[in-house]
Amino acid sequence: SSGARTRRRASPDHPRSPRSIPLAMDAAGASAVLGRVALVAAYALLGYALKRVGVVSRDDGAVMLRFVVNVTLPALLLHTLTSAGPLFGPGAPVVFLTSILASALVTGGACLLYRRRPSYERGLMVGAMTGVNLGTFAYPFVEAVWGAEGLRLAALYDIPNALVVFGVAAAIFAAEERNTIRDARKKNARHDDGGVYVGEWSVGGESKQGLGVYTYPSGAVYEGRWNNNVKDGHGVYKWAKGGSYAGEFKRGTFNGLGVRFLRSGGVKSGRFEEGEFVEAMDMKATDAAAAEAATVSSLAREAAAKASVEETNARAISRLATKILTFPPMIALLLAFASRGAPLPDALAAVLAPLAAANRPLVLITLGALFEPALSRLRLRNVANFLTTKYALSLVAAAVATTFAPPSLGPFRFAIAALVLMPVPSVCVQYALDHDADAVTATALTNYSQVASLVALLTLGFLSSGGAGATSAAWYVLPGGLLVAGAVVAAPKPNAGAPVAGFGAAGAHILSPP
């Protein structure tokens, strides 16, 4: 119909009468809830199966994720927020405040518990606990369990949550990256023998990694690639008294094809092994290696120059603000915010509708393609610690949120609790890549938190449908039960070993290998 169409939405504070609220879950019961969620989860299983048989790869999943985040997710946000009636109805402030309060409780608790951890670890752990994944995970599941009303509640909750994820979490990753680089420079830039390194570092700042320049006490200089504190790759070595080598390095010395320019003017072109010239070759045979070494040498000098200039706070804030405001999901949220949820023109709505509808299957298939169940033992304890800490804090935050939620919301109080317990935002993997954090651990945190959140959502969906008499119990039973669950998760288990930080003993006990 024309733009004159009108829609009215029941707000969380002023819901429609129980008979008019479309709670298919109450009519179908717990078995129907599980059946609908199983159908939705089948998309994720399909994505994982396609990867296992080689139809799609993890790289394909990464491309699909970029498409989802930059195209279908913004379409879903804009379509949902502009087709649900006025955005700022009587109940919207309550939902907004609930979202902000839950994020503040979880992030604040994470900051307190991880405050003594190294900056590179603290940035990943606290940043990953800041906000939750709704658009690329929760929406299809919430819609399956609580229907259209639940989806609109999730969309409202996602407005401040998205600001937290795309603003606060990104700022945490960026700030801790700067702290890591500063700490690494202070600790490792100048060696005990007087040598000085300027360039790129490993994730934790403990070793030279990537491109960099090292000046030896003698005055000699190496410009090139490093791997775990060792010269490895192409580079150029210049002696203090003249002469140079351009070519391949392995195990910290000349290994492979290269050209040695002697101080006397002579040239040795050929193959080197462990620093010794072993086979002469024509210059044409080593030209490619020497040219690559010269290119890498130039890049190493650029990396050193960049590392020597510390970004000012004002410039960092400006860069971060620009990145946040140009992020497609944020643009969609701001457009919906500016329009106050007014209906879109019919032509634009017709374009967005199929993209929004495609978000659910694409998201779930993509999550299946990206899911990696195997976890390295080296990262197991940190992941276990994180999961235990995140869900203990989230259960407490959910208890607080449901305490202040109006009892008239009925089953939707369980939906609010489920939103607080959603997984790590997928964009944290990209943040880890952008800010030299541990992307492997970030991916593991995202994957395993999705499993934990799905279990929580299924449990709350079962209870909201009347399972165990939850919906007929007194209003304080739900927050009380969430608090008890949080205490159980946080409780240390015997023989679990000392936790890394936070409430990690329980998680380490559950996930640690025998």
Side-chain angles (χ1 to χ4, degrees):
S1 62
S2 66
R5 56 191 170 181
T6 59
R7 279 160 292 196
R8 183 181 178 186
R9 178 192 55 178
S11 71
D13 275 349
H14 299 81
R16 288 173 276 187
S17 64
R19 291 184 179 180
S20 64
I21 296 178
L23 289 178
M25 285 179 21
D26 286 338
S31 60
V33 171
L34 295 176
R36 293 178 68 189
V37 173
L39 181 61
V40 173
Y43 283 115
L45 295 175
L46 174 62
Y48 182 71
L50 290 174
K51 184 181 70 170
R52 292 287 295 177
V53 299
V55 175
V56 298
S57 65
R58 181 174 174 80
D59 290 339
D60 295 330
V63 173
M64 292 165 63
L65 181 61
R66 284 197 295 271
F67 179 79
V68 165
V69 170
N70 292 294
V71 179
T72 65
L73 174 57
L76 177 64
L77 290 171
L78 193 56
H79 182 267
T80 301
L81 293 175
T82 57
S83 62
L87 190 59
F88 302 106
V94 174
V95 180
F96 291 168
L97 290 175
T98 299
S99 178
I100 294 170
L101 176 63
S103 296
L105 288 172
V106 176
T107 304
C111 289
L112 180 65
L113 292 169
Y114 286 98
R115 67 189 184 280
R116 300 187 186 279
R117 303 308 303 161
S119 55
Y120 64 89
E121 180 184 327
R122 184 172 61 243
L124 174 59
M125 298 301 177
V126 177
M129 285 194 207
T130 303
V132 293
N133 185 349
L134 295 184
T136 59
F137 181 84
Y139 279 9
F141 289 106
V142 169
E143 184 180 15
V145 176
W146 286 282
E149 289 291 326
L151 181 59
R152 282 193 283 270
L153 179 65
L156 285 175
Y157 188 97
D158 202 19
I159 293 177
N161 174 72
L163 294 173
V164 168
V165 171
F166 303 139
V168 180
I172 289 172
F173 274 90
E176 294 298 355
E177 179 195 25
R178 296 180 72 202
N179 292 337
T180 298
I181 293 173
R182 184 174 62 246
D183 294 344
R185 287 173 178 167
K186 291 179 180 178
K187 182 175 66 174
N188 294 329
R190 183 173 294 277
H191 290 210
D192 292 339
D193 63 2
V196 177
Y197 172 78
V198 184
E200 298 173 342
W201 296 90
S202 62
V203 172
E206 71 280 355
S207 62
K208 298 182 279 290
Q209 187 76 29
L211 296 167
V213 176
Y214 187 80
T215 303
Y216 292 83
S218 64
V221 177
Y222 170 73
E223 302 167 347
R225 295 194 180 278
W226 297 81
N227 182 26
N228 194 26
N229 270 338
V230 175
K231 296 184 284 291
D232 192 295
H234 290 84
V236 173
Y237 185 92
K238 303 175 183 177
W239 279 267
K241 295 182 179 180
S244 63
Y245 167 83
E248 297 175 327
F249 287 78
K250 291 181 181 178
R251 297 181 292 278
T253 189
F254 316 149
N255 271 292
L257 300 179
V259 179
R260 169 82 186 275
F261 298 94
L262 304 177
R263 184 173 51 175
S264 62
V267 176
K268 292 183 178 180
S269 172
R271 184 179 301 279
F272 291 77
E273 290 183 3
E274 303 303 328
E276 299 294 331
F277 184 63
V278 296
E279 181 182 358
M281 295 182 178
D282 185 85
M283 288 287 288
K284 291 182 179 180
T286 60
D287 183 62
E292 177 65 16
T295 300
V296 171
S297 172
S298 177
L299 293 175
R301 290 194 298 271
E302 292 178 6
K306 182 180 178 181
S308 300
V309 179
E310 187 169 352
E311 188 178 40
T312 64
N313 291 335
R315 185 172 182 180
I317 292 172
S318 175
R319 174 178 56 80
L320 182 59
T322 300
K323 185 174 182 179
I324 292 170
L325 293 175
T326 56
F327 196 49
M330 180 62 74
I331 293 174
L333 287 169
L334 293 176
L335 289 174
F337 187 87
S339 69
R340 301 179 65 86
L344 295 171
D346 288 345
L348 181 56
V351 172
L352 292 178
L355 291 173
N359 187 74
R360 181 164 110 176
L362 282 178
V363 164
L364 295 169
I365 292 173
T366 299
L367 291 175
L370 291 174
F371 186 68
E372 295 289 347
L375 189 64
S376 116
R377 291 181 178 232
L378 294 176
R379 294 180 171 91
L380 192 57
R381 178 172 286 277
N382 275 341
V383 173
N385 166 263
F386 173 89
L387 293 175
T388 307
T389 304
K390 170 181 167 59
Y391 286 98
L393 292 172
S394 297
L395 284 164
V396 173
V400 174
T402 53
T403 297
F404 292 101
S408 58
L409 281 175
F412 291 114
R413 295 175 71 224
F414 293 84
I416 290 175
L419 294 174
V420 178
L421 293 168
M422 286 300 99
V424 172
S426 299
V427 73
C428 285
V429 178
Q430 191 61 50
Y431 289 160
L433 292 170
D434 291 344
H435 299 290
D436 290 331
D438 188 349
V440 174
T441 298
T443 302
L445 299 180
T446 302
N447 288 340
Y448 282 92
S449 68
Q450 289 165 4
V451 176
S453 291
L454 184 56
V455 171
L457 190 146
L458 286 170
T459 302
L460 289 166
F462 168 76
L463 294 174
S464 71
S465 67
T471 54
S472 60
W475 68 269
Y476 54 81
V477 172
L478 176 58
L482 292 168
L483 279 177
V484 171
V488 171
V489 171
K493 301 293 187 295
N495 303 321
V500 178
F503 305 122
H509 176 76
I510 295 170
L511 293 182
S512 58

